[in-house]
Structure formats: C-alpha cells, structure tokens
C-alpha cells in the first residue's frame, strides 16, 4: 500500500502540471480526492491491517491528501489569475454564437460601397429637436408634410427622429461644402404595425454637395450602389415625388429583381419596385445651413434599409426584423 501511495503521488504531480483549465482541474480533484478515488478506497480497506501498519498507512494517506488539496488550491488560483487570457484555440466553434441582423448586413454593404466613392459615414441623435428634424428641412410647423410623418414627441418637446434627414443638416452645419456623407440609422414613426409597416425602421441618408452636381450624378451613384448590393446590373427609373427639402424630388424604382420586369406578386404586376426617395437639395435648405446655393448644388437620398433587407433576403413580413426571434434572424447571417 505504501508503494501504491507513492505511485499515486507521482502520477498526480505529473497530471496536475498539464492541467489547462478549471474543468480539467475539477476532474483531477475528484479523481484523487473524491469518494470513489483510489486513496478513499485504500483508507477504507485499512481497517483490516495490523495496528502498526494501519497507523503508518493512515498517516501517509492523510499527508498525501493534504498535499493534493494544497496543490489543487494553488493550481486553482493560478488558473483564475490568468483566466481572461486563457483562450483555447483548439476548442470547436460554438454553433450557438450570435449573428448579425440582416439590416446590419445590408447597411454595412451600402456603407462599404459609399466609402469607396469617397463618402464619410456619420451619425446623428435618435432623439432629435424639431429644428433639425423639420424646420431646417423646409418643413415649418404649419406645413402639411408634418402630418405625413406621425411623430413621437417627448415630454420635453423633443422627438424621436422620423427620418435620417436631420443628419444632412447636422453634417452641413459641421462640415460645410463640399460634402459627401452617408448616415445609417434607426427612425421612428407612430404607425400601426402590420406585415409592411413598423414603428421602428432603418434608413440610410446620403448627401453630396459640390459645384455642378446634377441629376445624372444622382442616378450614377444610385445605380452603382444598387448593382453592388444585388450583385448584378440593376435598371432604375425616376418618378416625381414630393419632399419639401428637395426640388425636384423623385421616387427611385428598381426593375423587379424577382421577375425581371415581367410582373409578379412582389412588384404587384408593375415590373418595378419602389426603393429610394431622393432629389436635388432645395436651395432654401442649403441657405438655412449657411451654404451658398448660387455656388453649390447637391443631391440627397434616403434608402430604406429595412426595405432593402426585405428585398434582398425575400423577407415578407417586416415584423420578423424587430422580433428578436433568433432562429429566424440568424439564418441570414453570412459572416
Ligand atoms: N427623409 C425622407 C423620408 O423619410 C426621404 C428622403 C430623403 C427624400 C432624402 C428625399 C431625399 O420620407
């Protein structure tokens, strides 16, 4: 028995040296100190030994147990002290890792394309003031266009921004002209929720101001972005659209990506999908942010990122996107 105890001690010392984490330490602890350990077995079989030997083996067992307990304690402290740096790169990948939302993915794709075209990515507050969300965009309080955007007001007279267009104003104030910015972000409108409407949705605002900027520049940029996002050359068309901060204003449509313009339920048989309101920046808007409309002109657009994600991933119910249903959402993650 004495020999066996010496062997156990040698074996334990060899094993504890190679322990790399707390799970392995727990296993070793129960192997050597647990109820079913060899040391416990030896201790319970000691009863049969003659009294002299019993005393000797008992003392050895206790000594060994104390030594093991002490070593386990030291190893535990050592592992905890370096635990934040203890990555095991050989561990298998956890299949339940988090994933990016489809909106985050398309938002990043659009920003990547715009950055290549020299746009700077900016952001603005979600709780906005009336001036930046409305007045500076040529929407005074008497303007009927305010009713188009059912607004959530805060008790202190601020509001949840109803679009990303206030980011245009903040960028003009901060950087002046010339300017090339994009601002992705969350917007809020007091809408009844159904498969096509949400009270919380994402847009991406784009603005270019320079000398001699024209509608063909707007079309070139829009076609470039959409072709990159959808991975093929897309056809676009402009229809007149009304927004007080652009003149002329347009609705930009893309040829239906599902039926290629032939007509299908997604495009309601029209062959076109409405995707992005846009237009040439209204001279009054430039002037209000101290940019001279006699020298500079510009265009602006507001891509519906929520809508774009739905189109790209064929999501037919907008509510899925804010649902926190991880099973639904993680299937779009391609990272
Ligand atoms: N901000 C507008 C909206 O949400 C969209 C828009 C942006 C229109 C830029 C024209 C230019 O309704």
């Amino acid at each position: 028995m004495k020999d066996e105890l010496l062997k156990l001690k040698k074996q334990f010392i060899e094993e504890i040296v190679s322990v790399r984490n707390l799970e392995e330490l727990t296993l070793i602890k129960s192997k050597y100190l647990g109820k079913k350990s060899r040391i416990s077995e030896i201790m319970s079989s000691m009863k049969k030994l003659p009294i002299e030997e019993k005393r000797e083996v008992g003392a050895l067992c206790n000594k060994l147990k104390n030594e093991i307990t002490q070593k386990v304690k030291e190893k535990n402290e050592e592992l905890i002290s370096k635990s934040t740096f203890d990555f095991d790169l050989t561990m298998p990948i956890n299949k339940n890792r988090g994933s990016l939302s489809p909106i985050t993915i398309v938002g990043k794709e659009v920003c990547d394309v715009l950055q290549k075209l020299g746009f700077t990515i900016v952001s603005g507050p979600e709780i906005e003031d009336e001036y930046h969300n409305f007045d500076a965009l040529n929407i005074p309080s008497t303007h009927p266009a305010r009713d188009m955007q059912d607004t959530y007001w805060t008790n202190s007279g601020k509001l949840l921004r109803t679009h990303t267009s206030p980011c245009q104003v903040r960028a003009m104030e901060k950087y002046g002209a010339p300017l090339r910015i994009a601002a992705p972000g969350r917007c809020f409108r007091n809408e009844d929720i159904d498969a096509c409407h949400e009270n919380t949705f994402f847009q991406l605002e784009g603005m270019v101001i320079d000398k001699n900027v024209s509608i063909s520049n707007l079309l070139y940029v829009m076609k470039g972005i959409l072709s990159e996002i959808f991975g093929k050359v897309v056809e676009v068309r402009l229809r007149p659209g009304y927004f007080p901060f652009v003149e002329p204003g347009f609705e930009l449509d893309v040829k239906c990506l599902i039926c290629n313009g032939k007509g299908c339920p997604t495009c309601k048989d029209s062959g076109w999908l409405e995707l992005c309101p846009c237009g040439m920046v209204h001279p009054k808007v430039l002037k209000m942010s101290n940019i001279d409309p006699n020298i500079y002109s510009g265009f602006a657009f507001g891509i519906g990122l929520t809508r774009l994600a739905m189109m790209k991933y064929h999501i037919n119910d907008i509510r899925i996107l804010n649902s926190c249903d991880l099973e639904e959402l993680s299937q779009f993650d391609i990272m």
Side-chain angles (χ1 to χ4, degrees):
M1 273 182 182
K2 279 187 268 173
D3 284 351
E4 199 188 350
L5 285 171
L6 281 176
K7 239 168 87 188
L8 276 172
K9 181 176 171 178
K10 206 169 148 245
Q11 190 186 329
F12 167 77
I13 286 171
E14 273 169 21
E15 286 181 24
I16 192 122
V17 170
S18 55
V19 161
R20 286 166 309 168
N21 54 45
L22 292 171
E23 287 93 70
E24 285 177 10
L25 187 62
T26 313
L27 288 179
I28 287 224
K29 192 177 167 191
S30 79
K31 178 172 169 190
Y32 287 93
L33 298 175
K35 277 197 194 116
K36 289 185 188 144
S37 67
R38 186 63 194 130
I39 300 177
S40 295
E41 271 174 26
I42 293 175
M43 285 181 101
S44 47
S45 65
M46 265 179 355
K47 291 175 221 131
K48 298 169 213 148
L49 292 176
I51 185 106
E52 268 309 299
E53 217 176 318
K54 198 196 284 183
R55 201 173 286 155
E56 203 181 344
V57 174
L60 273 177
C61 280
N62 281 336
K63 190 163 168 259
L64 181 57
K65 277 182 93 172
N66 287 341
E67 277 173 9
I68 293 180
T69 310
Q70 180 60 24
K71 283 259 168 346
V72 167
K73 200 172 149 223
E74 283 167 14
K75 190 76 189 180
N76 189 42
E77 277 161 16
E78 179 194 321
L79 287 173
I80 287 175
S81 73
K82 63 171 190 183
S83 62
T84 40
F85 305 108
D86 195 13
F87 293 113
D88 182 354
L89 297 177
T90 60
M91 288 270 280
I93 291 173
N94 177 6
K95 290 206 193 81
N96 298 325
R97 73 200 166 93
S99 58
L100 294 176
S101 146
I103 296 179
T104 308
I105 298 170
V106 289
K108 193 174 170 310
E109 284 173 353
V110 180
C111 286
D112 284 350
V113 182
L114 287 171
Q115 270 176 313
K116 283 188 211 149
L117 294 173
F119 282 70
T120 304
I121 310 300
V122 300
S123 61
E126 290 178 351
I127 301 175
E128 254 302 357
D129 53 54
E130 207 175 340
Y131 175 77
H132 288 92
N133 197 82
F134 289 126
D135 300 78
L137 289 162
N138 195 26
I139 317 175
S141 58
T142 50
H143 202 290
R146 284 211 184 186
D147 301 336
M148 279 159 48
Q149 305 190 351
D150 293 320
T151 309
Y152 288 113
W153 293 90
T154 69
N155 292 340
S156 59
K158 290 214 168 191
L159 51 85
L160 299 188
R161 67 175 173 202
T162 57
H163 49 179
T164 41
S165 298
C167 299
Q168 291 182 19
V169 181
R170 289 186 178 274
M172 284 188 285
E173 287 172 350
K174 191 163 171 193
Y175 303 110
L179 184 70
R180 238 183 260 191
I181 57 101
R186 193 156 49 156
C187 310
F188 310 86
R189 288 187 201 175
N190 192 354
E191 298 251 14
D192 289 335
I193 298 173
D194 61 31
C196 307
H197 299 91
E198 248 292 1
N199 55 21
T200 305
F201 53 94
F202 286 77
Q203 290 187 339
L204 181 138
E205 195 80 8
M207 178 178 237
V208 172
I209 297 176
D210 214 324
K211 289 177 183 155
N212 303 320
V213 173
S214 69
I215 296 176
S216 34
N217 298 132
L218 164 67
L219 270 172
Y220 177 81
V221 170
M222 295 316 299
K223 263 184 108 156
I225 301 171
L226 298 173
S227 302
E228 283 269 345
I229 300 301
F230 292 107
K232 57 179 178 187
V233 178
V234 294
E235 253 185 79
V236 300
R237 74 172 184 190
L238 290 179
R239 279 180 298 115
Y242 175 68
F243 304 92
F245 38 97
V246 283
E247 179 57 39
F250 308 107
E251 290 287 356
L252 183 132
D253 299 339
V254 283
K255 191 170 258 187
C256 181
L257 299 149
I258 314 261
C259 64
N260 215 5
K262 290 188 194 79
C264 71
T266 306
C267 61
K268 299 197 185 88
D269 282 327
S270 70
W272 294 91
L273 294 166
E274 188 179 315
L275 189 64
C276 177
C278 52
M280 301 307 292
V281 183
H282 198 297
K284 262 180 148 176
V285 170
L286 293 174
K287 220 190 261 169
M288 268 189 277
S289 291
N290 289 326
I291 293 177
D292 187 347
N294 296 317
I295 304 175
Y296 289 104
S297 55
F299 64 79
F301 54 88
I303 301 182
L305 286 182
T306 302
R307 200 177 160 80
L308 195 60
M310 290 174 76
M311 275 168 66
K312 179 157 180 182
Y313 295 108
H314 304 292
I315 301 169
N316 54 15
D317 191 327
I318 197 171
R319 289 168 291 197
I320 290 172
L321 291 165
N322 288 350
S323 68
C324 302
D325 182 337
L326 295 183
E327 217 153 276
E328 287 276 6
L329 291 170
S330 62
Q331 61 182 311
F332 307 107
D333 187 19
I334 35 86
M335 307 303 267

